[in-house]
Amino acid sequence: MSSISCLVENGQPIALDSSVIVNLNATGFADRIIGALVGDVVVVSHVFRELERGEQNGYSDAAGLRALVADGSVLRMPLPSDANRTFLELVAGSAADTLGDGEAATIAYASVSGAWVAIDERKARKICATRFNDVRVVSTVDILAYPSVVKTFTTKELSDAIFNALEVARMQVQPHHFNWIVRQVGAERLPRCNSLPRKIREGQVAE
């Protein structure tokens, strides 16, 4: 069976946005998932600061990310100087056309480095599609469905990892991934995945 992931092995780095890190931490297997990817996995400093602000509200994702940096799984990168203009353009202006610092910095980094950008939020993905045609965008599901990642798990482990990301982190899923998600999670657990549309939670997926 062919992979549903659009991520390909080209050796380019993958820059993770905050939401993707939160999702991967929620799986309970972030180190194994990241370790199975080809190419460096990077997080820009703005994303670190975004997650560290969450610690004040009791969230542990910054600590999880620091552990991944400490063991060499993730590289912390400053925003390159030639990405500053793009970053500022993405954070300034009307609310409809701007992004948070973490999303903006991740996209700006990818725009000058050639990295893939891993991001789930609809607005950020739309901005990438309309303004940054050269930036290759993947989602958390693309990472989870990446063949070398799938191979590191048993069927039950992969199902549990995906379910955890959905239930705990409320992972967003692109419509073209619904069928795959349903098959992996199982009909009995779908009703607890509130980030999915109701019709998907009720099993109304066209094969």
Side-chain angles (χ1 to χ4, degrees):
M1 181 180 296
S2 61
S3 172
I4 58 99
S5 175
C6 68
L7 188 61
V8 297
E9 295 184 2
N10 65 356
Q12 292 300 106
I14 304 173
L16 307 183
D17 179 48
S18 303
S19 62
V20 176
I21 295 165
V22 171
N23 291 335
L24 295 181
N25 280 338
T27 67
F29 300 100
D31 54 345
R32 285 172 59 181
I33 294 167
I34 290 173
L37 297 174
V38 176
D40 291 333
V41 176
V42 304
V43 175
V44 293
S45 295
H46 294 71
V47 171
F48 268 86
R49 291 194 287 271
E50 197 168 79
L51 292 175
E52 285 168 347
R53 288 195 292 271
E55 289 183 307
Q56 301 171 10
N57 296 318
Y59 296 106
S60 60
D61 293 293
L65 180 55
R66 285 192 291 267
L68 292 169
V69 171
D71 70 16
S73 299
V74 170
L75 301 176
R76 178 171 182 164
M77 301 293 289
L79 188 65
S81 58
D82 55 347
N84 280 329
R85 179 175 179 178
T86 298
F87 170 74
L88 292 174
E89 289 174 349
L90 288 171
V91 297
S94 67
D97 298 318
T98 58
L99 300 170
D101 285 2
E103 294 169 325
T106 302
I107 294 170
Y109 175 86
S111 72
V112 300
S113 68
W116 296 82
V117 59
I119 199 161
D120 286 338
E121 281 80 0
R122 183 180 304 172
K123 186 166 103 169
R125 293 175 66 90
K126 181 178 179 180
I127 286 175
C128 279
T130 57
R131 295 172 58 182
F132 300 94
N133 293 329
D134 293 336
V135 173
R136 292 160 296 184
V137 181
V138 297
S139 66
T140 304
V141 176
D142 286 312
I143 292 174
L144 294 173
Y146 186 57
S148 63
V149 171
V150 172
K151 290 177 183 177
T152 68
F153 291 102
T154 66
T155 300
K156 183 180 184 306
E157 285 175 335
L158 182 62
S159 177
D160 288 346
I162 295 168
F163 173 70
N164 289 341
L166 289 166
E167 185 185 44
V168 177
R170 300 179 65 86
M171 176 175 69
Q172 295 185 34
V173 178
Q174 305 301 311
H176 61 282
H177 287 152
F178 285 156
N179 285 348
W180 187 80
I181 287 292
V182 170
R183 289 195 298 270
Q184 301 304 318
V185 172
E188 70 281 359
R189 294 200 287 188
L190 282 175
R192 293 163 58 187
C193 302
N194 290 325
S195 63
L196 295 174
R198 185 175 66 180
K199 68 177 183 178
I200 305 302
R201 299 197 307 271
E202 294 174 349
Q204 302 176 38
V205 182
E207 296 293 341

